[in-house]
């Protein structure tokens, strides 16, 4: 048996096509998350499948690591490479989300925004903000009058909570056979994006289309 036979035995395992679709979906979610100025809705179903697949890969590597069969050992190398690819995407995807949560933590703890986060992210943000508020209070907030100690005050019509820049320019590509209509609010720009076409436009104009899977960030 030569190397092509070994590669074939790995690539034709059951559910390989489903894994390929999940890999493509995870890669797209990763790129979208890195490009979008705000946290996108948590892909619960996708991440459950991804983490289940990663666990299976780890089990396969552990089961075959002890063997001295050259064929099996090479197969382990392939599985380990595949495992590292999945782990890189998951880690980078989560880091991109955590970075945006850290930058706008009060924004993502509001009722309308926290639905975008996973349960673990909500716990992280809540704990992080609690520790940060305790530090600020002990450092300087305690010296202010009670009415000036809030970090999310909106007195005078000025909100203290910083929000992501929805007017940031992003590059997006069409995914649907039917063109996607894009309208830029406040301008006379109204155009369509066909499949494979790439345009640069304000995030606010394509946010819903990206979240619906009609467009993807590039």
């Amino acid at each position: 048996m030569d190397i092509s036979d070994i590669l074939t035995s790995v690539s034709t395992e059951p559910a390989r096509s489903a894994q390929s679709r999940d890999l493509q979906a995870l890669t797209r979610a990763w790129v979208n998350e890195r490009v979008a100025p705000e946290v996108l809705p948590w892909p619960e179903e996708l991440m459950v499948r991804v983490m289940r697949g990663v666990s299976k890969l780890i089990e396969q590597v552990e089961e075959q690591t002890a063997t001295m069969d050259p064929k099996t050992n090479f197969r382990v190398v392939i599985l380990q490479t595949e495992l590292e690819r999945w782990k890189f995407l998951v880690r980078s995807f989560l880091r991109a989300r955590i970075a945006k949560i850290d930058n706008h933590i009060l924004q993502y703890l509001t009722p309308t925004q926290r639905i975008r986060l996973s349960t673990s992210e909500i716990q992280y943000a809540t704990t992080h903000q609690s520790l940060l508020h305790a530090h600020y209070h002990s450092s300087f907030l305690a010296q202010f009058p009670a009415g000036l100690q809030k970090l999310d005050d909106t007195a005078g019509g000025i909100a203290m909570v910083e929000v992501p820049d929805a007017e940031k320019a992003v590059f997006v590509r069409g995914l649907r056979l039917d063109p996607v209509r894009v309208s830029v609010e406040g301008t006379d720009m109204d155009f369509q994006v066909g499949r494979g076409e790439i345009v640069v436009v304000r995030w606010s104009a394509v946010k819903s289309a990206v979240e619906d899977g009609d467009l993807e960030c590039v």
Side-chain angles (χ1 to χ4, degrees):
M1 180 175 290
D2 57 19
I3 187 172
S4 61
D5 296 323
I6 298 175
L7 292 173
T8 300
S9 69
V10 174
S11 62
T12 57
E13 291 180 348
R16 191 68 182 178
S17 60
Q19 290 181 359
S20 297
R21 289 193 297 270
D22 284 344
L23 180 62
Q24 182 182 34
L26 178 60
T27 303
R28 180 169 294 153
W30 167 56
V31 175
N32 286 345
E33 201 66 64
R34 287 175 60 87
V35 174
E38 60 182 326
V39 173
L40 299 176
W42 174 254
E44 179 68 26
E45 294 182 0
L46 172 62
M47 295 309 296
V48 168
R49 294 196 305 271
V50 166
M51 297 312 298
R52 187 183 299 123
V54 169
S55 297
K56 289 181 179 179
L57 278 174
I58 293 175
E59 291 175 1
Q60 291 176 11
V61 171
E62 291 177 345
E63 289 174 358
Q64 300 181 34
T65 297
T67 181
M68 298 301 294
D69 182 6
K71 168 194 167 184
T72 305
N73 283 344
F74 188 76
R75 188 171 186 273
V76 170
V77 172
I78 298 174
L79 290 174
Q80 288 175 329
T81 303
E82 180 76 357
L83 175 61
E84 290 304 316
R85 176 168 64 164
W86 283 95
K87 289 168 62 177
F88 167 79
L89 287 173
V90 171
R91 285 196 298 262
S92 186
F93 173 68
L94 295 177
R95 285 172 179 168
R97 293 178 63 86
I98 291 299
K100 288 187 279 190
I101 292 172
D102 285 344
N103 289 336
H104 306 283
I105 195 163
L106 288 176
Q107 164 75 1
Y108 291 115
L109 286 177
T110 59
T112 58
Q113 292 295 319
R114 64 190 299 149
I115 59 175
R116 292 176 166 269
L117 309 183
S118 67
T119 302
S120 297
E121 288 171 339
I122 292 175
Q123 293 175 348
Y124 164 79
T126 302
T127 302
H128 185 174
Q129 180 57 27
S130 177
L131 293 173
L132 196 61
H133 186 272
H135 171 67
Y136 287 163
H137 190 272
S138 62
S139 298
F140 58 88
L141 283 180
Q143 304 174 25
F144 293 172
L148 299 178
Q149 293 184 9
K150 296 178 62 177
L151 296 177
D152 56 352
D153 196 3
T154 57
I158 301 177
M160 293 181 60
V161 177
E162 185 179 359
V163 300
D165 182 12
E167 302 308 306
K168 175 185 176 181
V170 296
F171 286 88
V172 294
R173 175 168 48 213
L175 295 176
R176 302 301 183 194
L177 290 175
D178 296 330
V180 179
R181 184 176 179 179
V182 176
S183 299
V184 181
E185 186 177 356
T187 72
D188 58 357
M189 293 182 61
D190 190 300
F191 56 93
Q192 293 183 330
V193 183
R195 185 173 184 177
E197 293 181 347
I198 298 177
V199 299
V200 57
V201 66
R202 296 177 186 174
W203 169 249
S204 59
V206 295
K207 171 182 173 179
S208 59
V210 171
E211 292 181 356
D212 291 340
D214 296 331
L215 301 174
E216 67 175 352
C217 296
V218 294

